[in-house]
């Protein structure tokens, strides 16, 4: 019988927010490594656990994903494991059935870089893609509901090139409407994919059957009469008192999604059969087999489910949903002091804190310069410039054995070549350490706690610039740094635009000018934050710091920031124990009717230019953000929709809550303050289709690549062929370089000259070891041999 194993239960992390994924292999749950998250095989089934933290409360979502080529046995096992995991969590999870091609927005939201579906599965022997393997051919279909699918496709291509292929491949772009402009690329595609017969007609992602627009309906499910009876009991508007704790219910959202609600006192058999009843309901209604299904437990309902009801109250809560927690740049972040000693006694603490140790191990750090690794001067350790990319090798001991972490930090203003080189150099460094390095890609602004702990509270991140010795860029005369952290293990100073609008009341800021430096204390910052700010301030500036308390700033302070201006500072934000959770919803009518989809763990990148978003910061205000490419119907419906949102909110919201419409590019600080490190120039530099193509870099010698791919290479030999597979004779370098075939010594294979070199001569001539050379694609090897006179 399929059963949640003791091994899975033992490794199950139920306290740390984040995502955990298992793949079904031989009917057993096998963990998927985090570097493969977002990649799924269509012949497999997966179980995904997502944990969210709101204040001190945890909520859980369990999804089981069904590949279209998976077996019925695997699908059944995935459903059973999902139920068992929910039982293990004591019924606190929301269960989701996800079918390939029709995944919920909640599910897709876990994978910001998109989802990649690959052919095959465990049964066909398919495992994870090897980074160092280049001889792989697969066709990926990129789909998206937004108008930036072309951009998404190119971003995915860049991701595969830079991360999966270690920068050792080229990307070619063929415009479907102008294939004749890329004859060599079309020749490659025809060779790999075969001649195209006829293109299928495009199917819009926004197509919705008219049947899906039906009203919301609630059904009562009961087996009290000896057989299961499903009976409609109510239509929209729904009220919470329709749900009885003794029964199970099916909520039909017009066929778009099916919810099953399980009462806490319902019959055990009814609970067990809940998912099957939902699937039977889908069949009876003749809905598509891939219709989304969610199982809701009594007392652990998701916010999305609650909002389908006109009124929803939570026991023991008298003021609606009240205050919750945020990780925004304005609202207070609840900090917990971390005792590194506990990691040695309780390994689970290390897992929860994502800390292998206290950061006191050995550190080596390099900067990418001219696409090569250059050691960083010790005086610049802990300084990260946005115009650079860095590799940081961290060595620590476990039971006297060395372990390694390799942080790949990529600045937001670094060139595409440098970003690619950082990934490539990481692969080479990993090979030097026998592939033992745990590689951690760190985009600027996403620094993990352990990386911060290495610098003991003195980490500084600059918006741009470089620490290179030959740097000629002028250093800004005025700089402003936002300080976050309460201990040496979680503190960093992050440079923000030197303007008054960058301030907020819950943090400490360092203002560095030519004449002096200021330490600005917001009214909501804590004593620990002030102490850590003093420490990191010495790293930013050696001059004496003038302490400035919010509300008592001298005139020179505002003058340095270009004048006084409004910033994120409200009475609510100054409370010491603020526990608000702002919630961001994507609002769209692309499915034929208005829908609001919540975006978990949001940041500025989630705001899409062709949609409308609702930012709910509870009793303070509700913002409605309108992207510049949002359609007219969405713009016209914005005010009406947000009013309806407040009126129907499950917590009984105050209808006098201010509603502020915000247009893209004109966001006030009261809006931007809820987003960490808001970039006011993000959309000024938005990239066109041609910009994205150019970003993919040098297209390489397509003629050479085409010739290699399309040339016939039959396995043929004759009476004079050398069938020996032994090592070739070694010759001095000068006898092989820039020589014609006739000038070569006897016994030399002209096409394999490099193999006749000693290891030292090989490395001298080609600039890399034989193993590194063999890892290159064949056409790259040929080009290098031509360049070095060995072809």
């Amino acid at each position: 019988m399929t059963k949640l194993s003791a091994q899975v239960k033992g490794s199950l992390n139920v306290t740390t927010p984040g995502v955990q994924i298992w793949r079904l292999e031989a009917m057993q749950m096998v963990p998927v490594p985090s570097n493969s998250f977002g990649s799924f095989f269509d012949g497999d089934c997966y179980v995904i656990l997502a944990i969210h933290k709101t204040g001190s409360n945890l909520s859980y979502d369990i999804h089981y994903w069904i590949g279209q080529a998976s077996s019925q046995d695997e699908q059944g096992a995935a459903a059973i494991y999902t139920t068992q995991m929910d039982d293990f969590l004591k019924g606190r999870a929301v269960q989701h059935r996800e079918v390939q091609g029709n995944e919920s927005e909640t599910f897709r939201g876990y994978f910001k870089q998109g989802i990649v579906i690959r052919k095959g599965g465990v049964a066909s022997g398919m495992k994870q893609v090897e980074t160092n393997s280049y001889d792989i051919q697969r066709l990926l279909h990129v789909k998206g509901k937004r108008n930036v699918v072309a951009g998404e496709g190119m971003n995915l291509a860049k991701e595969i090139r830079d991360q999966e292929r270690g920068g050792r491949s080229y990307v070619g772009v063929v415009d479907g409407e102008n294939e004749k402009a890329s004859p060599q690329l079309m020749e490659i595609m025809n060779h790999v994919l075969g001649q195209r017969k006829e293109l299928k007609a495009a199917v819009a992602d926004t197509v919705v059957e008219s049947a899906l627009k039906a009203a919301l309906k609630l059904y009562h499910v009961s087996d009290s009469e000896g057989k299961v009876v499903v009976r409609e009991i109510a239509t929209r508007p729904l009220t919470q008192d329709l749900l009885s704790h003794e029964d199970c219910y099916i909520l039909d959202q017009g066929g778009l999604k099916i919810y099953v609600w399980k009462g806490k006192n319902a019959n055990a058999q009814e609970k067990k059969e809940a998912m099957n009843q939902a699937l039977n309901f889908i069949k009876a209604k003749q809905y598509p087999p891939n219709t989304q299904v969610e199982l809701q437990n009594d007392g652990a309902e998701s916010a999305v489910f609650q909002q389908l009801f006109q009124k929803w109250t939570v026991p023991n809560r008298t003021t609606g949903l009240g205050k919750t927690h945020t990780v925004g740049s304005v609202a207070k972040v609840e900090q917990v002091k971390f005792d590194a000693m506990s990691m040695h006694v309780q390994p689970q603490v290390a897992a929860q804190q994502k800390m292998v140790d206290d950061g006191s191990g050995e550190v080596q750090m390099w900067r990418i310069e001219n696409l090569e690794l250059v050691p960083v001067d010790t005086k610049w350790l802990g300084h990260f410039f946005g115009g650079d990319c860095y590799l940081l090798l961290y060595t620590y001991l476990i039971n006297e054995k060395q372990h390694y972490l390799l942080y790949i930090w990529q600045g937001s203003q670094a060139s595409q070549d440098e970003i690619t080189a950082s990934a490539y150099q990481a692969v080479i460094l990993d090979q030097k350490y026998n592939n033992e390095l745990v590689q951690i890609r760190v985009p600027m602004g996403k620094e993990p706690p352990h990386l911060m702990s290495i610098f003991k509270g003195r980490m500084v991140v600059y918006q741009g610039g470089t620490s290179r010795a030959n740097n000629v860029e002028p250093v800004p005369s005025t700089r402003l740094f936002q300080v976050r952290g309460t201990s040496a293990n979680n503190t960093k100073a992050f440079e923000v635009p030197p303007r008054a609008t960058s301030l907020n009341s819950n943090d400490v800021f360092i203002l560095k000018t030519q004449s002096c430096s200021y330490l600005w204390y917001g009214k909501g910052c804590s004593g620990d934050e002030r102490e850590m700010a003093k420490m990191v301030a010495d790293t930013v500036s050696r001059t004496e710091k003038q302490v400035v308390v919010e509300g008592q700033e001298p005139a020179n302070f505002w003058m340095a920031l270009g004048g006084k201006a409004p910033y994120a500072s409200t009475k609510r934000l100054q409370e010491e124990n603020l526990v608000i959770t702002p919630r961001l919803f994507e609002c769209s009518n692309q499915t034929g009717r208005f829908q609001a989809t919540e975006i978990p763990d949001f940041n500025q990148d989630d705001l899409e230019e062709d949609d409308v978003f609702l930012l709910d910061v509870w009793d303070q205000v509700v913002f409605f953000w309108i992207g510049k490419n949002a359609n007219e119907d969405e713009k016209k419906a914005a005010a009406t929709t947000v009013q309806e949102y407040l009126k129907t909110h499950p917590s009984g919201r105050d209808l006098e809550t201010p509603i502020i419409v915000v247009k893209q590019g004109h966001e006030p600080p009261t809006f931007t303050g809820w987003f960490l490190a808001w970039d006011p120039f993000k959309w000024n530099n938005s990239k066109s289709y041609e910009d994205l193509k150019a970003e993919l870099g040098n297209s390489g010698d397509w003629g050479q690549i085409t010739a290699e791919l399309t040339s016939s290479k039959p396995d043929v030999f004759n009476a004079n062929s050398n069938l020996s597979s032994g090592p070739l004779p070694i010759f001095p370098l000068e006898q092989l370089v820039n020589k014609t075939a006739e000038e070569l010594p006897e016994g030399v294979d002209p096409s394999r000259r490099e193999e006749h070199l000693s290891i030292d001569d090989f490395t001298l001539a080609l600039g890399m070891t034989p193993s590194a050379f063999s890892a290159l694609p064949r056409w790259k090897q040929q080009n290098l041999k031509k360049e070095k006179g060995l072809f």
Side-chain angles (χ1 to χ4, degrees), residues 303-323:
V304 174
F305 179 80
Q306 293 177 5
Q307 293 186 30
L308 297 175
F309 291 78
Q310 191 173 49
K311 183 73 174 177
W312 190 281
T313 57
V314 180
N316 304 319
R317 196 175 280 168
T318 58
T319 56
L321 296 183
K323 301 178 183 179

Side-chain angles (χ1 to χ4, degrees), residues 571-620:
K571 184 176 180 180
R572 165 60 66 86
L573 297 177
Q574 293 165 14
E575 294 181 12
E576 192 69 25
N577 297 311
L578 180 67
V579 283
I580 292 175
T581 292
R583 299 175 68 196
L584 184 69
F585 297 86
E586 180 181 23
C587 304
S588 174
N589 66 355
Q590 293 185 349
T591 60
R593 58 178 168 181
F594 179 82
Q595 282 186 297
T597 304
E598 185 166 7
I599 298 175
D601 305 321
F602 66 84
N603 57 40
Q604 187 182 1
D605 291 336
D606 290 310
L607 297 174
E608 292 287 349
E609 295 181 289
D610 56 344
D611 266 329
V612 178
F613 290 77
L614 185 154
L615 177 64
D616 182 7
V617 292
W618 301 100
D619 55 343
Q620 185 191 4

Side-chain angles (χ1 to χ4, degrees), residues 31-43:
V32 173
S34 58
N35 61 359
S36 295
F37 283 8
S39 179
F40 299 87
F41 287 99
D42 69 355

